[in-house]
């Protein structure tokens, strides 16, 4: 096949018959973990590979019940239709009480469990917590000791979770010392999904990356098996092969590069605010350079989501533990520092415009998800900004078209332990340890409503935190009649029609753009 490097090749397999053969014999795929990665990925695979059975398992009975209902646990455009089409046909969601039987019969086992940042012990605040991953690995190893021989000559255990470099080596160590009598190969197949477009990303990916032992016949066989699933609908030129270590690092690198671009343009927005330049004009000038491009060059209140900060923290920790890479660690740490700096700048902009007095003022918060077209609020900038406003004793009316009220209240209740400085120790999840005073501030100061109109009723200002399409078409002239003057709108995403807002009598504030106050 054509080569990109000594370890990375386009997966146009020399022996195409091998791919056909593996697909003909591939009967069952098992996925451990029914979260944001496992659920959508297996659903699309089931849709594209109707002859293969896909079983998705999770320890959470409540989550599995949601996957088996008409109200899925996550929102992604197009996901509902695919699940409805495949569920009960060749796609099954189950609690893990029957997992062992499924592992024993599986040809491919995907591990899609959570790998959050450690909050305890060595590496707290940086290293990935692999405790869930290890539990899954040991369970697989235990079952495979007594399982029947693999139908395809080798059983594939695939890391789908984002993990530190050389985690596959740890997986191999667990499996190799478990007296498994049949061939097993560990592969890395990182996901490159963008929340909000996860289904289209799965259906038409820029690339699929599968890492394994390219140097052995058994390793190549395992690579063929996993690649054959994707090549059912993805052109083989987009299916890349590499070593497992390269695949693991590529995932961290991809997210680090994307976050770096966001922080780069956001850092320049601060320069624009200090000099009177306009960040949109700067971004356009820079983005028209073909060497740079215009993707991820929109200044905003900062990035969020489950991956960017977590993966950069993991990359920083990796660099800190390797010899002579402290400068590299510092470089990537600054990407997160800028993100937190930008959130604080936006919060300060709101507070200072009210002469540092927000007590008992009502602020309409439009959007709580970390980005549009998803219900995910993990690491959302809205959590940080809302927390800052609550500390000033503001009253918040929150509207998001996809985030349920329970999620908003839980995130803000937990915010007392999740909005520290970027590199401070962060306690674990749950509301244990959160002060009664903070819980009361959230319960008394936050109301989740069902529309833009309800959010702005009696409000002193509008704060846009998510780039939902409906916020681009707000009728400011109509909304002002229910608000308290002077009318202010703070757009953290640069999505509103600023001219319409100004003409309606609003003061318009956006990071990196000159304020419109007349």
């Amino acid at each position: 096949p054509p080569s990109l490097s000594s370890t990375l090749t386009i997966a146009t397999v020399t022996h195409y018959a091998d791919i056909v053969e593996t697909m003909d014999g591939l009967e069952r795929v098992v996925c451990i973990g029914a979260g944001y990665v496992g659920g959508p990925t297996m659903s699309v695979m089931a849709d594209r590979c109707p002859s293969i059975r896909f079983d998705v398992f999770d320890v959470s009975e409540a989550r599995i019940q949601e996957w088996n209902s008409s109200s899925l646990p996550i929102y992604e455009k197009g996901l509902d239709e695919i699940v409805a089409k495949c569920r009960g046909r060749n796609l099954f969601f189950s609690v893990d009480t029957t997992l062992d039987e499924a592992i024993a019969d599986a040809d491919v086992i995907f591990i899609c469990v959570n790998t959050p940042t450690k909050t305890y012990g060595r590496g707290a605040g940086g290293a990935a917590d692999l405790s869930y991953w290890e539990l899954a690995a040991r369970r697989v190893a235990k079952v495979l000791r007594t399982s029947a021989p693999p139908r395809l000559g080798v059983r594939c255990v695939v890391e789908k979770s984002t993990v530190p470099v050389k985690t596959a080596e740890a997986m191999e160590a667990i499996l190799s010392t478990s007296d498994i009598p049949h061939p097993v190969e560990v592969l890395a197949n990182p996901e490159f999904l963008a929340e909000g477009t996860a289904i289209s990303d799965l259906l038409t990916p820029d690339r699929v990356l599968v890492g394994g032992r390219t140097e052995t016949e058994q390793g190549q066989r395992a690579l063929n098996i996993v690649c054959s699933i994707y090549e059912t609908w993805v052109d083989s030129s987009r299916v890349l092969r590499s070593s497992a270590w390269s695949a693991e690092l590529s995932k961290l690198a991809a997210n680090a590069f994307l976050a770096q671009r966001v922080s780069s343009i956001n850092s320049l927005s601060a320069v624009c605010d200090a000099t009177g330049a306009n960040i949109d004009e700067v971004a356009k000038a820079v983005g028209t350079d073909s060497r740079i491009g215009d993707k991820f060059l929109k200044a905003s209140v900062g990035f969020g989501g489950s991956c960017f900060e977590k993966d950069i923290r993991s990359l920083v920790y990796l660099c800190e533990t390797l010899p002579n890479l402290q400068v590299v660690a510092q470089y990537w740490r600054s990407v997160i520092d800028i993100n937190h700096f930008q959130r604080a700048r936006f919060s300060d902009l709101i507070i200072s415009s009210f002469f540092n007095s927000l007590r008992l003022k009502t602020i309409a918060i439009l959007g709580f998800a970390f980005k549009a077209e998803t219900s995910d609020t993990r690491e959302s900038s809205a959590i940080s900004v809302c927390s800052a406003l609550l500390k000033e004793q503001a009253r918040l009316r929150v509207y998001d078209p996809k985030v349920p009220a329970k999620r908003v209240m839980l995130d803000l209740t937990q915010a007392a332990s999740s909005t520290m400085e970027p590199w401070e120790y962060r306690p674990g999840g749950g509301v244990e340890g959160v002060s009664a005073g903070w819980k009361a501030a959230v319960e008394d100061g936050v109301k989740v409503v069902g529309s833009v109109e309800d959010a702005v009723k009696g409000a002193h200002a509008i704060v846009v935190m998510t780039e939902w399409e409906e916020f681009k078409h707000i009728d400011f002239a109509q909304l002002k009649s229910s608000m308290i003057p002077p009318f202010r709108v703070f757009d953290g995403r640069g999505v509103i029609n600023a001219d319409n807002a100004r003409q309606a009598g609003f003061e318009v504030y956006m990071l990196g753009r000159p304020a419109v106050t007349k």
Side-chain angles (χ1 to χ4, degrees):
S3 177
L4 295 180
S5 72
S6 59
T7 59
L8 181 62
T9 58
I10 301 291
T12 302
V13 182
T14 305
H15 302 292
Y16 181 74
D18 290 344
I19 285 291
V20 176
E21 179 188 346
T22 55
M23 278 301 295
D24 286 344
L26 207 165
E27 296 182 12
R28 192 172 190 182
V29 172
V30 167
C31 176
I32 303 175
Y36 277 89
V37 175
T41 301
M42 295 302 114
S43 297
V44 170
M45 285 185 174
D47 180 55
R48 298 292 144 162
C49 306
S51 64
I52 301 173
R53 176 183 173 122
F54 292 84
D55 289 279
V56 187
F57 292 88
D58 201 279
V59 296
S60 171
E61 184 175 351
R63 178 179 291 176
I64 291 300
Q65 287 177 348
E66 289 178 312
W67 278 111
N68 285 319
S69 73
S70 59
S71 180
L72 302 185
I74 62 175
Y75 171 76
E76 281 289 340
K77 188 175 182 180
L79 178 60
D80 288 29
E81 293 82 358
I82 290 177
V83 172
K85 175 183 175 183
C86 300
R87 190 174 54 204
R89 183 194 70 183
N90 68 323
L91 175 64
F92 303 90
F93 296 95
S94 308
V95 291
D96 68 346
T97 52
T98 57
L99 175 59
D100 291 357
E101 177 187 347
I103 290 174
D105 187 51
D107 302 301
V108 180
I109 303 160
F110 284 92
I111 297 182
C112 301
V113 297
N114 193 20
T115 54
T117 301
K118 279 188 71 176
T119 59
Y120 58 90
R122 181 174 296 179
D129 185 345
L130 298 179
S131 56
Y132 302 116
W133 168 90
E134 183 177 355
L135 286 172
R138 292 193 180 280
R139 185 161 185 177
V140 169
K142 180 180 178 180
V143 173
L144 294 186
R145 288 176 193 155
T146 56
S147 65
R151 280 182 289 265
L152 303 177
V154 59
R155 188 170 274 109
C156 304
V157 179
V158 185
E159 299 173 345
K160 196 71 176 170
S161 306
T162 301
V163 293
V165 180
K166 291 210 167 183
T167 300
E169 190 172 62
M171 174 79 77
E172 287 178 343
I174 291 173
L175 297 177
S176 65
T177 58
S178 299
D179 300 321
I180 299 172
H182 310 297
V184 179
E185 282 288 322
V186 177
L187 301 97
N189 174 217
E191 53 84 15
F192 295 102
L193 307 179
E195 290 191 49
T197 59
I199 301 304
S200 62
D201 292 341
L202 285 163
L203 292 172
T204 56
D206 291 334
R207 79 298 203 190
V208 172
L209 178 59
V210 184
R213 296 190 179 278
T214 58
E215 72 279 7
T216 69
E217 184 176 346
Q218 181 173 293
Q220 291 175 2
R221 174 71 174 172
L223 283 166
N224 284 354
I225 292 170
V226 176
C227 288
S228 70
I229 299 174
Y230 289 103
E231 289 179 336
T232 304
W233 77 93
V234 180
D235 190 275
S236 61
S237 65
R238 293 183 180 272
V239 182
L240 310 181
R241 299 179 178 205
S242 74
S243 69
W245 326 142
S246 295
E248 290 168 341
L249 181 57
S250 294
K251 168 60 176 178
L252 298 182
N255 279 343
F257 269 61
L258 293 173
Q260 175 198 51
R261 284 179 70 95
V262 176
S263 284
S264 293
I265 199 66
N266 282 344
S267 71
L268 290 174
S269 76
V271 178
C272 288
D273 285 334
T275 62
N278 188 313
I279 192 60
D280 291 330
E281 295 171 348
V282 173
K284 184 175 182 179
V286 172
T288 53
D289 189 324
S290 60
R291 298 168 300 174
I292 299 173
D294 61 357
K295 299 289 181 66
F296 281 74
L297 287 185
K298 189 173 183 63
S300 69
V301 68
F303 60 76
S306 64
C307 294
F308 280 9
E309 182 164 335
K310 175 176 73 74
D311 290 354
I312 294 175
R313 286 177 178 272
S314 182
L315 181 58
V316 169
Y317 181 73
L318 172 66
C319 295
E320 287 177 337
T321 57
L322 294 172
N324 304 317
L325 292 183
Q326 294 302 311
V327 173
V328 179
Q330 183 179 357
Y331 173 79
W332 288 111
R333 182 185 293 116
S334 68
V335 173
I336 294 180
D337 290 341
I338 289 292
N339 198 52
H340 285 254
F341 169 71
Q342 189 76 343
R343 291 173 176 174
R345 283 206 322 123
F346 190 64
S347 300
D348 291 343
L349 175 64
I350 299 169
I351 295 167
S352 63
S353 74
F354 284 93
F355 307 103
N356 299 320
S357 180
L358 278 178
R359 187 172 185 270
L360 301 182
K361 290 185 172 65
T362 299
I363 308 297
I365 305 294
L366 302 187
F368 201 81
F370 86 91
K371 64 184 289 188
E373 302 302 332
T374 179
S375 59
D376 194 356
T377 64
R378 289 176 292 179
E379 298 291 344
S380 174
S381 293
I383 299 173
S384 175
V385 173
C386 287
S387 298
L389 301 183
L390 283 172
K391 289 173 184 177
E392 296 293 326
Q393 298 187 21
R395 297 187 180 278
L396 309 181
R397 298 171 71 90
V398 181
Y399 166 65
D400 188 288
K402 292 299 178 183
V403 179
K406 182 179 179 181
R407 182 76 260 169
V408 173
M409 300 302 288
L410 182 60
D411 284 344
L412 291 177
T413 301
Q414 293 176 334
S417 63
S418 64
T419 55
M420 297 181 176
E421 290 302 311
W423 300 99
E424 286 184 328
Y425 168 74
R426 294 184 175 195
V431 296
E432 298 83 357
V434 176
S435 71
W438 179 257
K439 291 172 66 175
V442 173
E443 292 170 0
D444 295 342
V446 179
K447 183 177 182 180
V448 182
V449 298
S451 69
V452 171
E453 291 74 19
D454 288 341
V456 304
K457 192 176 299 181
H460 294 78
I462 297 172
V463 176
V464 180
M465 292 301 304
T466 310
E467 64 278 21
W468 287 106
E469 183 67 25
E470 67 178 287
F471 301 157
K472 301 177 184 179
H473 309 290
I474 291 175
D475 187 341
F476 288 96
Q478 179 181 355
L479 293 182
K480 65 183 287 188
S481 62
S482 64
M483 294 180 63
I484 297 174
F487 308 111
R488 300 181 177 97
V489 58
F490 300 86
D491 186 359
R493 296 295 172 186
V495 296
I496 68 167
N497 189 320
D499 289 337
N500 286 351
R502 177 184 57 79
Q503 292 170 8
F506 280 78
E507 299 175 5
V508 182
Y509 299 89
M510 292 186 279
L511 293 172
R513 296 96 168 170
V516 179
T517 58
K518 292 184 180 180

